[in-house]
Amino acid sequence: MTAQSSRSTGSVSVGTVTLVGGGPGAPDLLTVAAVTALRQADVVLFDRLAPSDDLASLAPGATLIDVGKRAGSHPVSQTGIEELMVEHALAGKRVVRLKGGDPYVFGRGSEEVLACHRNGIAVTVVSGVTSAIAVPAAAGIPLTHRGISHAFTVISGHAPLTDNELEGLTLLGSTIVVLMGVGTLPTLSQGLLRHGMPGDMPVAIIERGFSPTQRATVSTLSAVLAVAASAGVRSPAVLVVGEVVRLAFSGDAAAEDLVARASEFAVID
Ligand code: SAH
């Protein structure tokens, strides 16, 4: 389904909301549906991790509103964002709510859909390329590989993982992808070790995917805390724990050797 047209309730012409996944930051990873919705938008409410460099030309007819949230500070609260979105739609505007990655992957997209439903506003969701898959791929890491990992779990590190979660992930034995996980890296790494995951399990931390300063830091579960501290790893970053990390180095014997040694690491620019 494409962007919806306005409809009328009584004398008021009600607009629409389109929740658009903007992808992981590369302008060419915006979908055609995303570009179309932006071109037709009257108002764009965009997040910090949404691709915003070229927004004025992508949405030439729109008022652009930065509602970006930074760790620890919320320029516009979630309720405030929903109110803005509803207010503009009720005023008859075609509102695009542009988010980083995919709107339904830790994007609070479903809360915004519910806010539209509560206010009788037609809402469409345009899926985006999620950083959970694309950022590891940008560092050469596939999340699955026949014979190595046939599943992956994408988990939020916003709050520390519980013992049950850590145990379940260890038992599953497949790829783990953590978003918003830099702050809780200590509980993640120590917890996985405590539940029996081998200390030489490779870990990759990919910061600022698709930006000119993208950086991948690779280590092992037992070394990752020290390595992340000395490398000065910061958010936004995607963490990957699993044997698939080795595939980023296939054919590069020296780098494979680095991954195999717990006390050292490789930084791949
Ligand atoms: N809906 C988004 C995720 C929102 S949560 C998606 O599908 O991608 C925000 C987290 O996503 C960040 O803390 C970080 O873990 C990750 N992230 C998003 N874009 C990123 C990027 N370009 N590079 C590294 N991590 C990114």
Side-chain angles (χ1 to χ4, degrees):
M1 196 165 62
T2 52
Q4 298 175 10
S5 56
S6 299
R7 67 194 166 82
S8 288
T9 47
S11 59
V12 185
S13 181
V14 178
T16 57
V17 169
T18 310
L19 254 66
V20 173
D28 56 355
L29 287 179
L30 277 170
T31 64
V32 174
V35 170
T36 304
L38 285 167
R39 201 171 46 233
Q40 296 171 344
D42 300 313
V43 176
V44 178
L45 305 172
F46 64 98
D47 275 346
R48 182 173 65 97
L49 287 175
S52 55
D53 286 355
D54 205 21
L55 210 44
S57 51
L58 284 166
T63 305
L64 307 178
I65 304 174
D66 182 356
V67 293
K69 287 172 282 198
R70 274 158 227 283
S73 82
H74 293 248
V76 183
S77 67
Q78 181 62 28
T79 315
I81 292 171
E82 289 168 19
E83 281 168 6
L84 268 176
M85 195 178 72
V86 166
E87 180 189 308
H88 285 289
L90 290 178
K93 308 291 188 199
R94 280 164 300 192
V95 179
V96 163
R97 174 73 180 102
L98 182 64
K99 298 172 155 298
D102 183 89
Y104 280 169
V105 179
F106 308 135
R108 306 192 74 167
S110 47
E111 291 167 52
E112 293 170 13
V113 166
L114 292 176
C116 290
H117 288 170
R118 279 196 302 275
N119 289 278
I121 296 160
V123 55
T124 309
V125 177
V126 173
S127 298
V129 175
T130 180
S131 65
I133 297 173
V135 169
I141 301 168
L143 300 188
T144 68
H145 186 91
R146 186 180 281 254
I148 294 180
S149 177
H150 67 180
F152 59 88
T153 304
V154 179
I155 191 152
S156 164
H158 181 67
L161 301 191
T162 64
D163 270 323
N164 279 345
E165 289 167 337
L166 291 161
E167 185 184 7
L169 289 169
T170 307
L171 287 173
L172 193 57
S174 55
T175 308
I176 304 167
V177 181
V178 189
L179 270 53
M180 299 175 278
V182 174
T184 52
L185 185 59
T187 46
L188 175 80
S189 57
Q190 288 157 5
L192 291 174
L193 287 169
R194 199 171 61 244
H195 284 93
M197 193 173 282
D200 64 356
M201 182 64 76
V203 180
I205 306 175
I206 308 109
E207 299 164 85
R208 301 177 296 276
F210 298 95
S211 79
T213 61
Q214 174 177 313
R215 174 173 76 157
T217 303
V218 176
S219 66
T220 61
L221 197 55
S222 53
V224 66
L225 271 189
V227 166
S230 75
V233 163
R234 296 181 49 197
S235 186
V238 175
L239 277 63
V240 184
V241 181
E243 294 291 347
V244 288
V245 169
R246 294 185 202 279
L247 294 165
F249 304 100
S250 58
D252 181 342
E256 277 179 20
D257 187 46
L258 264 182
V259 176
R261 280 183 282 147
S263 60
E264 298 187 47
F265 69 99
V267 173
I268 319 146
D269 288 321

